[in-house]
Amino acid sequence: MNINFSRYDTLTTLLAGTTAALTIVISQSAIAKTPQEVASIAGPLTVQINSSLGDGSGVIIAKKGKTYTVLTVNHVVEKADVKYTVRTSKGKNYQATAVTRLQTAETDPDLAVVKFESPEEYPVATIADSDQAVIGTQIFVYGYPATGGLFGAEREPELSPGLVTSRPGNRPEGYTLRYQAVTWSGMSGGPVFDSEGRVIGLHGQGEFGFAQTSSGEVAPIKTGFNAAVPINTFIAKLVAAGINKSELKVDHTPATIGPVSTANPQDAQAYYFRGLSLLDQGDAWEAIADFTRALAFKPKYTPELYFNIGNARTFITAGLPQTEPTRGSTAIQAYTRAIAANPGFADAYYNRALAYLDNQDQPKAIADFQKAAELYKQGGRTSAYQDALSRIKQLQ
């Protein structure tokens, strides 16, 4: 079973009564800095990168005189004939004076460096050792989402907490730092921080997992998993980036608080996270077992548990011969329970529509895509809304 992820992120948003956020509840005592403290560090370091083709984010990693160096992902600045503007936390706009694309082949990591000049003073990010970001590590994604009808300079920054779910040895475009967090379109290129407020990666992938249905169609399943290119991957590319390591602020001190342990789960949160980690690594049956154990505690995030059970069953079904049945409930039943627990769960409607399609039930699929589109529109998830409308058009 393979779950491949799109590098473009149009992710789940947290809006009461509209959709559920696939996040994990973490006690304040389990992190070295509060989210507010991380946000205060992240704000001045993180920039918008805007162009006529779309919006992205980046992080200031070096300064030499009046020249600042911003690290981002290549797909934010991949077109050489386009002008890019850097907008800082102070609301100042600067034309990019140079763009160095580190991704010159499909096998290269999705990274790029942008330079701009400013007389203003901006801090430089501290870089940590991303190898320390093991499964269970607390992370924070920061960037400028393009949601709610806001684009370009209108965007406001967002901080999204999460936990590392897997560290695969090899992934396309270098996306080997994977986590469960809520992110949005426009946050690509934004920094991923550890619990100390140090940069450990560049966000750039999210939401969609792809599973081949019994009809042969490759369906985009909404999952909530995200990925970043680890900062150590960039460090290995310093020569190509034209940067001397002495220009960077590096701190490899271990984080104050270690990763969340799932070795011996005793509560819903531990079972939920272990299930997410197993699902992200492709162990769908084991993930379902942990999600089911978590449900026994009757946690507040019951809709998310059923949603992820539905995702797991979707991937299991995708890996089986068409004539071979799965054990237990179906993905449709799991998504239905998620919707019953939260009628505003847009992604559950979307994924259930795909499951109905796999069952050749086109009327129910159209109805679910229509409901998902309605909820996406209410939540300002423009890309997801357009995607659902496109699905409906194809079926009618």
Side-chain angles (χ1 to χ4, degrees), residues 355-377:
Y356 278 134
L357 276 183
D358 196 33
N359 279 4
Q360 309 301 315
D361 194 337
Q362 186 166 310
K364 288 185 178 179
I366 291 174
D368 271 2
F369 280 132
Q370 288 174 333
K371 184 62 176 180
E374 174 190 326
L375 292 168
Y376 288 144
K377 186 176 182 180

Side-chain angles (χ1 to χ4, degrees), residues 191-236:
V192 178
F193 294 93
D194 68 4
S195 59
E196 310 291 333
R198 303 172 299 187
V199 175
I200 55 171
L202 276 295
H203 171 75
Q205 270 190 351
E207 186 177 38
F208 289 115
F210 292 96
Q212 187 173 26
T213 66
S214 59
S215 63
E217 179 188 11
V218 177
I221 306 299
K222 294 179 184 289
T223 63
F225 289 118
N226 301 262
V229 180
I231 198 68
N232 286 8
T233 301
F234 168 69
I235 297 298

Side-chain angles (χ1 to χ4, degrees), residues 305-388:
L305 283 163
Y306 280 123
F307 177 79
N308 280 289
I309 290 173
N311 288 343
R313 294 199 175 279
T314 296
F315 294 127
I316 288 168
T317 303
L320 293 175
Q322 187 170 354
T323 57
E324 184 175 339
T326 60
R327 303 190 299 271
S329 64
T330 66
I332 290 175
Q333 290 171 321
Y335 292 134
T336 299
R337 289 173 178 171
I339 291 166
N342 177 11
F345 203 155
D347 288 343
Y349 281 105
Y350 185 97
N351 284 3
R352 191 174 70 173
L354 293 171
Y356 278 134
L357 276 183
D358 196 33
N359 279 4
Q360 309 301 315
D361 194 337
Q362 186 166 310
K364 288 185 178 179
I366 291 174
D368 271 2
F369 280 132
Q370 288 174 333
K371 184 62 176 180
E374 174 190 326
L375 292 168
Y376 288 144
K377 186 176 182 180
Q378 290 176 11
R381 295 174 62 186
T382 306
S383 297
Y385 170 65
Q386 294 296 335
D387 176 48

Side-chain angles (χ1 to χ4, degrees), residues 152-182:
E154 298 176 324
R155 295 181 293 152
E156 296 293 333
E158 293 278 354
L159 179 80
S160 181
L163 291 174
V164 175
T165 53
S166 70
R167 292 302 312 268
N170 184 38
R171 280 277 182 169
E173 300 184 288
Y175 283 102
T176 59
L177 175 60
R178 294 171 56 76
Y179 39 89
Q180 177 88 176
V182 181

